[in-house]
């Protein structure tokens, strides 16, 4: 067994918007319910930027190590942990832990828990070599998985996968993905295609269009070129898609997509 060091490298900031410093910091000790993960890869999410700026209504902890898309190997665990063994692959998600006692937690809606502990926000996250996560919420990762490919799945992938699952669509139905050529959208196209859905991808530019088609989208709508985007989408999907996944980040794209989502008729909202 490899020795766990007392000191590690991490990216930390001491005030919101302040300098992010790459430096030696202590390796955290897992609590009774936690695992300690040697992070091999971490994605970077737009939310990490908000945590750094501190421009969300919820305060971050300070100082803070950001990151909530971490994939790595379990190197230690607290005495109450029974579902992970040393050497298992594990993932650090946005939801680091929750109370498991409130109504939300008991219904499987832990992200709504009023006491939710958030990786890279209220709990030091994956921008360090060793990070802790609640063993109940940490993601189980199969041993033969490519950890580099898994890292962005832990937020970007989970987000669109959940939207597609809760949209309750059936194979053969249409789903429109807005922001389809981006980090979340490109994953949404692949999941939707694997679920047997027909994908109408919305984004801007030929390059995004080529990527969307390559990933499985049947139709690509370039919102920068279309004059009547609602009509185009309705015509392409026999009256409107059965679901819409909206993962655009630009304000303009969001307001435009909300307009056509409202106009699409048989759409369910995701
Ligand atoms: Zn995220
Ligand atoms: Zn709870």
């Amino acid at each position: 067994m490899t020795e766990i060091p007392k000191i590690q490298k991490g990216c930390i900031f001491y005030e919101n918007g302040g300098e992010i410093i790459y430096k030696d910091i202590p390796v955290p000790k897992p609590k009774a319910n936690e695992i300690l993960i040697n992070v091999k890869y971490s994605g970077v999410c737009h939310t990490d930027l908000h945590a750094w700026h501190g421009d969300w209504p919820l305060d971050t902890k300070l100082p803070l190590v950001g990151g909530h898309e971490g994939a790595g190997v379990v190197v230690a665990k607290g005495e109450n942990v029974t579902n992970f063994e040393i050497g298992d692959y594990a993932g650090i998600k946005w939801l680091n832990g929750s109370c498991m006692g409130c109504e939300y937690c008991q219904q499987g809606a832990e992200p709504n828990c009023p006491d939710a502990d958030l990786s890279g926000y209220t709990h030091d996250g994956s921008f360090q070599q060793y990070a802790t996560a609640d063993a109940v919420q940490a993601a189980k990762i199969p041993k033969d998985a490519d950890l580099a490919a898994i890292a962005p799945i832990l937020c970007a992938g989970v987000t669109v996968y959940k939207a597609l699952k809760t949209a309750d669509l059936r194979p053969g139905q249409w789903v429109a993905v807005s922001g389809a050529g981006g980090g979340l959208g490109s994953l949404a196209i692949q999941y939707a295609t694997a679920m047997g859905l027909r994908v109408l991808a919305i984004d801007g530019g030929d390059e995004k269009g080529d990527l969307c088609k390559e990933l499985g989208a049947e139709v690509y709508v370039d919102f920068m070129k279309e004059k009547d985007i609602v009509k185009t989408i309705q015509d392409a999907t026999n009256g409107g898609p059965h679901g819409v996944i909206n993962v655009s980040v630009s304000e303009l794209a969001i307001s435009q997509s909300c307009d056509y989502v409202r106009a699409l008729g048989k759409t369910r909202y995701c």
Side-chain angles (χ1 to χ4, degrees), residues 45-47 68-69 94 155-156:
C45 173
H46 196 258
T47 300
H68 56 267
E69 295 183 344
W94 170 242
C155 179

Side-chain angles (χ1 to χ4, degrees), residues 39-48 66-72 90-94 119-120 125-127 147-148 150-159 183-184 187:
V39 180
K40 299 296 187 190
Y41 296 93
S42 178
V44 180
C45 173
H46 196 258
T47 300
D48 292 312
H68 56 267
E69 295 183 344
I92 295 159
K93 303 183 276 117
W94 170 242
S119 302
S126 56
F127 299 160
L147 290 175
I150 293 287
I153 304 297
L154 294 162
C155 179
V158 166
T159 302
L184 277 73
L187 291 166

Side-chain angles (χ1 to χ4, degrees), residues 98-105 110 113-115:
S98 69
C99 82
M100 296 310 286
C102 72
E103 188 175 332
Y104 294 111
C105 284
E110 291 100 318
C113 174
D115 293 322

Side-chain angles (χ1 to χ4, degrees), residues 52-83:
W52 176 43
H53 287 312
D55 57 4
W56 271 6
L58 183 68
D59 287 342
T60 65
K61 84 178 263 296
L62 286 173
L64 177 68
V65 176
H68 56 267
E69 295 183 344
V73 183
V74 177
V75 291
K77 60 180 198 168
E79 67 262 29
N80 293 346
V81 175
T82 54
N83 60 335

